[in-house]
Amino acid sequence: MEEFKVIEIKKSIFEDNDKDADNLRQELKENGTFLLNLMSSPGSGKTSTLIKTIELMKNDFKIGVMEADIDSSVDANKIAETGVKTIQLHTGGMCHLDASMTRQGITELGTQALDVVFLENVGNLVCPAEFDTGAVKNAMILSVPEGDDKPLKYPLMFSISDAVIINKIDTAAVFDFDFEKAKQRIKALNPKCEIFLISAKTGQGVAEWAEWLRREVENYNVQ
Amino acid sequence: MEEFKVIEIKKSIFEDNDKDADNLRQELKENGTFLLNLMSSPGSGKTSTLIKTIELMKNDFKIGVMEADIDSSVDANKIAETGVKTIQLHTGGMCHLDASMTRQGITELGTQALDVVFLENVGNLVCPAEFDTGAVKNAMILSVPEGDDKPLKYPLMFSISDAVIINKIDTAAVFDFDFEKAKQRIKALNPKCEIFLISAKTGQGVAEWAEWLRREVENYNVQ
């Protein structure tokens, strides 16, 4: 088993999370570190999508991963096997991360030698959407088994995501998931959003998502 | 489309939710109304499981349903088609229901003529586990596509559930879901928990779950 540190993060002491998030974004910018906040329901495939994404990017970027969970380290164990720098954040029951909590992880991870940091947020479509973590970009995963009606039920999450990854497309034959309806519902909430169809299991479509992310990281560094 | 009322529920004014939940449970007992709180991740199949359960029970019990959602009425539309009394609760962004919020729904629904009320909680494995709604029994759904590791990651939800329904078993062939591991992990957290394997799509296993629920309702009424 690979080694990784476990951090018990503390509740935020800042009243103004939006301001704190902007400060963190500025600090990350000064270090040239691109922070991606990845969100989804439990079991949508955040960890397996991250593993496939890391495989495609780790030769070209120095990558770090922060795995947020209520109190387990299941996912950090899997991510650490990719060989990238990984830490586990335990939220102590909290259902989301805010900017102050994200900074506690960033401080432990150390960003000065990292080009890209992935934050795997707590599995939840409600609370994480309400708190700016300080990330440069937000991405979310909707998996085919969850159904194409989720944008109707969790609109804020779809509204604040720069990219929506529709995962588990290899299982489309056994679920009634209407891809066109899903895309229309997402675009109605968030016209600028990028939508990617992938299977983290088979690898299908992951290259397109990783290519978009690569361009975002490269643009970030020249701005 | 069937008719149902939409209630914008207000934030709780009670500081002591546990006490308020006990009071609500007592009030329901006096009316002979059995309240089941059904929880799960988004997309695990709460609504479709409820529809199948209602079909098996509605000839013998007077049933009401409260559909809690952040701000949509997608599920209430589906449930109302079963012909049972249905209301939609809008939480205004809140990720859970507490006892006071549940009472607002109960008051609107009116329980005096109802034997069984189903509360479909907000899709979320974190927050709803932390608030007693006043229900007689808690049930949760874990769906096969979410993975057998979820009890490790969301232990509180599995600990407080009297019954865990493992749904979408018709899709087991396309997912790496170890049923024995899942059961062991659930039982390790909650030895008394009842576990049911169902497919709300095909109907497989729903009768066993509904039979357990029927016995619980009958026992409740003779106590």
Side-chain angles (χ1 to χ4, degrees), chain A residues 1-4 73 77 80-81:
Chain A
M1 194 172 290
E2 306 296 323
E3 294 222 338
F4 56 86
S73 301
N77 274 316
E81 288 173 12

Side-chain angles (χ1 to χ4, degrees), chain B residues 18-66:
Chain B
D18 286 346
K19 185 158 183 289
D20 194 30
D22 284 338
N23 291 343
L24 179 56
R25 234 181 324 268
Q26 184 59 36
E27 293 157 33
L28 290 166
K29 180 72 185 150
E30 285 160 14
N31 285 335
T33 303
F34 183 100
L35 176 62
L36 183 91
N37 175 29
L38 183 61
M39 298 171 285
S40 82
S41 293
S44 301
K46 287 185 293 303
T47 309
S48 49
T49 299
L50 270 185
I51 289 170
K52 285 277 196 262
T53 307
I54 289 166
E55 284 169 7
L56 292 177
M57 295 179 74
K58 70 180 179 184
N59 290 339
D60 302 315
F61 299 97
K62 285 163 284 174
I63 294 175
V65 177
M66 301 191 290

Side-chain angles (χ1 to χ4, degrees), chain B:
Chain B
M1 193 172 290
E2 306 296 322
E3 293 222 341
F4 56 87
K5 196 164 177 181
V6 177
I7 315 296
E8 308 291 333
I9 54 179
K10 295 171 190 71
K11 264 199 169 161
S12 177
I13 54 166
F14 290 95
E15 297 231 340
D16 187 346
N17 182 62
D18 286 346
K19 185 158 183 289
D20 194 30
D22 284 338
N23 291 343
L24 179 56
R25 234 181 324 268
Q26 184 59 36
E27 293 157 33
L28 290 166
K29 180 72 185 150
E30 285 160 14
N31 285 335
T33 303
F34 183 100
L35 176 62
L36 183 91
N37 175 29
L38 183 61
M39 298 171 285
S40 82
S41 293
S44 301
K46 287 185 293 303
T47 309
S48 49
T49 299
L50 270 185
I51 289 170
K52 285 277 196 262
T53 307
I54 289 166
E55 284 169 7
L56 292 177
M57 295 179 74
K58 70 180 179 184
N59 290 339
D60 302 315
F61 299 97
K62 285 163 284 174
I63 294 175
V65 177
M66 301 191 290
E67 286 291 321
D69 262 303
I70 291 170
D71 66 0
S72 82
S73 302
V74 179
D75 295 337
N77 274 317
K78 293 184 197 158
I79 292 283
E81 288 174 12
T82 64
V84 301
K85 191 166 184 184
T86 305
I87 61 167
Q88 177 75 51
L89 309 178
H90 283 172
T91 67
M94 281 180 286
C95 56
H96 67 277
L97 291 183
D98 63 16
S100 162
M101 291 145 79
T102 304
R103 182 185 278 106
Q104 293 169 52
I106 289 281
T107 303
E108 285 291 334
L109 200 58
T111 58
Q112 300 210 333
L114 295 175
D115 303 316
V116 181
V117 172
F118 293 102
L119 168 61
E120 183 178 329
N121 215 310
V122 181
N124 186 324
L125 285 188
V126 184
C127 319
E130 296 168 12
F131 294 88
D132 188 344
T133 58
V136 179
K137 295 286 173 184
N138 292 317
M140 69 163 290
I141 301 176
L142 168 66
S143 67
V144 164
E146 292 170 68
D148 53 45
D149 62 346
K150 292 300 161 290
L152 303 175
K153 297 184 62 184
Y154 304 93
L156 185 62
M157 177 60 79
F158 288 86
S159 301
I160 60 121
S161 293
D162 300 291
V164 175
I165 298 168
I166 302 181
N167 188 23
K168 306 192 190 181
I169 59 170
D170 57 297
T171 69
V174 296
F175 293 100
D176 305 321
F177 188 96
D178 186 325
F179 286 92
E180 282 314 306
K181 265 192 193 163
K183 286 183 192 173
Q184 285 165 16
R185 286 165 177 168
I186 296 165
K187 289 285 186 182
L189 290 163
N190 187 350
K192 287 185 184 169
C193 175
E194 298 281 341
I195 302 175
F196 300 96
L197 273 56
I198 76 160
S199 165
K201 190 174 182 181
T202 68
Q204 193 186 347
V206 178
E208 288 77 9
W209 145 251
E211 188 51 39
W212 174 81
L213 185 58
R214 177 185 293 270
R215 280 199 309 273
E216 291 294 325
V217 175
E218 287 167 355
N219 288 338
Y220 174 75
N221 286 317
V222 296
Q223 276 165 11

Side-chain angles (χ1 to χ4, degrees), chain A residues 41-43 69-72 75 93 95 123-124 126-127 130 145-146 149-150 152-155 168 171 174-175 201, chain B residues 41-43 69-72 75 93 95 123-124 126-127 130 145-146 150 152-155 168 171 174-175 201:
Chain A
S41 293
D69 263 302
I70 291 169
D71 67 359
S72 82
D75 294 337
C95 58
N124 187 322
V126 185
C127 320
E130 295 167 11
E146 291 169 68
D149 62 347
K150 292 300 160 292
L152 302 175
K153 297 183 63 184
Y154 304 93
K168 306 193 189 179
T171 69
V174 296
F175 293 99
K201 191 174 182 181
Chain B
S41 293
D69 262 303
I70 291 170
D71 66 0
S72 82
D75 295 337
C95 56
N124 186 324
V126 184
C127 319
E130 296 168 12
E146 292 170 68
K150 292 300 161 290
L152 303 175
K153 297 184 62 184
Y154 304 93
K168 306 192 190 181
T171 69
V174 296
F175 293 100
K201 190 174 182 181

